[in-house]
Amino acid sequence: TRLKQQQINAIRVDLRSNNDEELGKEVLYEQIYGTRHVYGRLNAGHVAQLESITLDDVRQFYAEQFTRTRLRLAVGGGYSDAFKNQLLKDFAQLPEGDPADNERRVITDSGGRRALIIEKESPAVAVSFGFPLQVRRGDPDFLALWLARSWLGEHRNSSAQLYKRIRETRGMNYGDYAYIDYFPNGMYLSTPEPNYGRAQNIFQVWLRPLRNNNDAHFATRAAMHELRALVTDGLLEEEFQATREFLSKFVAQMVDSPRRQLGYALDSQYYGIAPFHEYVRDGLAQLTRKHVNQALRQHLDLDHIQFVFISNDATDLKQRLGTNQLSQISYNSDKPADLLAEDKQIESLDLRMSADSVRILDAADLFE
């Protein structure tokens, strides 16, 4: 009973009320995957489901899932043979069980361009948008997209394009990042955590906090402007080379402790690839700019995008999106003429949404 109530509180209070960054991302996952996909439901569950769970349900789940057949045991650090042998002996007492269902279920699109606006009392506006990918770690085009994603929006990297154009140049917000791997709890992390392997991922962009609906509308258009240019024009040779060099060194930070090395080793087993740092460095060494730009055109389908906004005035934002209203911005200091000319293009960029493709949902109804 105590654990069940804690989990309900985590949904209603920690996520829904206090964490717009993660809230927008989690709503986006449900919108893109849909209820028929295994990832189309908040990992923590919905409140009604949690309230209906019995102790017998939990015991049955434990008996079916915590078995030797499904177990992957990994040990790292200064352990002794005696410790390892005792560990193996202890876990050997688990029942054998049935193999896990590893069928790769995929979805191909997210139904055109649609938006969901979450209305809640919030001092800023949060934006998340994305679409399903048919590429995951180990696939031939993964590292090509991983590199392009890094150039566009590496997490907490001030040299990434979205960060430079939206935050640094225009001073609009804090974070502008892009992802092609599942990356929860990003507000607490500088680098992604291992052991979130998924059969299918999404391409997603995260922008927040924006001061108001107008800024959110402009920032979304600016991100789409950069994304469209990336897909259409591809990376320049110097951009490709600089990003490849950065990632070849950055991968060492991703496996900078025994815990992370162990976690990525398990992930590599799941994806059927070489140890992660070798997979990245060897793959990047063979990667070409032509491969990256071809992968961008092949896999980033900008016709099918789901948008999620969190705003305290959803009606106003729906009107802006549904009528392609201008989103002019002003600055407190002088800006170069070329930037102001680009702003003119961005402020009217058509996100290709009508009033019928924009929905409003009260935050209090989420995950219930």
Side-chain angles (χ1 to χ4, degrees), residues 160-198:
Q161 184 74 356
L162 292 178
Y163 189 105
K164 288 191 297 186
R165 301 305 294 169
I166 299 175
R167 172 175 168 168
E168 287 192 347
T169 301
R170 295 181 169 92
M172 296 189 70
N173 66 341
Y174 168 76
D176 306 285
Y177 310 132
Y179 311 92
I180 63 169
D181 272 325
Y182 184 46
F183 193 157
N185 303 313
M187 65 183 300
Y188 307 110
L189 303 169
S190 296
T191 55
E193 289 282 80
N195 303 144
Y196 287 110
R198 286 191 157 194

Side-chain angles (χ1 to χ4, degrees), residues 8-234:
I8 290 172
N9 291 342
I11 295 169
R12 286 177 168 169
V13 180
D14 298 342
L15 176 62
R16 201 166 67 194
S17 298
N18 298 332
N19 194 335
D20 286 357
E21 175 178 337
E22 292 300 311
L23 179 63
K25 292 179 180 178
E26 293 296 344
V27 173
L28 181 66
Y29 301 138
E30 290 205 352
Q31 295 303 300
I32 291 178
Y33 287 115
T35 57
R36 294 185 179 182
H37 195 282
V38 291
Y39 302 144
R41 184 68 67 166
L42 181 69
N43 289 342
H46 285 201
V47 171
Q49 297 168 324
L50 288 167
E51 289 177 339
S52 70
I53 288 176
T54 67
L55 183 55
D56 285 341
D57 292 331
V58 176
R59 287 171 171 154
Q60 180 180 350
F61 179 87
Y62 189 98
E64 292 174 352
Q65 303 294 329
F66 287 73
T67 62
R68 291 200 313 274
T69 304
R70 295 167 182 258
L71 176 67
R72 293 294 180 271
L73 185 60
V75 188
Y79 60 88
S80 65
D81 287 343
F83 174 80
K84 182 189 73 173
N85 292 335
Q86 185 63 50
L87 202 62
L88 293 171
K89 181 180 178 182
D90 290 344
F91 277 100
Q93 298 178 45
L94 288 170
E96 182 176 3
D98 298 321
D101 176 11
N102 290 323
E103 180 185 354
R104 185 175 177 183
R105 302 176 181 89
V106 298
I107 51 174
T108 56
D109 63 59
S110 56
R113 290 194 181 184
R114 293 180 291 170
L116 176 63
I117 306 172
I118 307 303
E119 186 158 42
K120 66 172 287 191
E121 287 302 319
S122 177
V125 183
V127 182
S128 295
F129 67 85
F131 47 84
L133 279 179
Q134 309 308 312
V135 177
R136 67 174 186 172
R137 204 178 302 176
D139 290 342
D141 290 339
F142 176 81
L143 286 175
L145 293 181
W146 196 62
L147 184 146
R149 175 248 5 133
S150 179
W151 177 86
L152 180 68
E154 182 70 55
H155 185 75
R156 293 194 177 179
N157 190 319
S158 59
S159 66
Q161 184 74 356
L162 292 178
Y163 189 105
K164 288 191 297 186
R165 301 305 294 169
I166 299 175
R167 172 175 168 168
E168 287 192 347
T169 301
R170 295 181 169 92
M172 296 189 70
N173 66 341
Y174 168 76
D176 306 285
Y177 310 132
Y179 311 92
I180 63 169
D181 272 325
Y182 184 46
F183 193 157
N185 303 313
M187 65 183 300
Y188 307 110
L189 303 169
S190 296
T191 55
E193 289 282 80
N195 303 144
Y196 287 110
R198 286 191 157 194
Q200 182 179 18
N201 278 306
I202 67 173
F203 174 90
Q204 63 174 311
V205 169
W206 169 77
L207 317 167
R208 76 169 295 271
L210 285 312
R211 293 172 297 184
N212 51 51
N213 285 342
N214 184 76
D215 279 11
H217 197 185
F218 184 93
T220 304
R221 283 169 154 159
M224 286 298 301
H225 172 77
E226 298 295 342
L227 181 56
R228 186 174 62 182
L230 175 62
V231 174
T232 302
D233 303 330

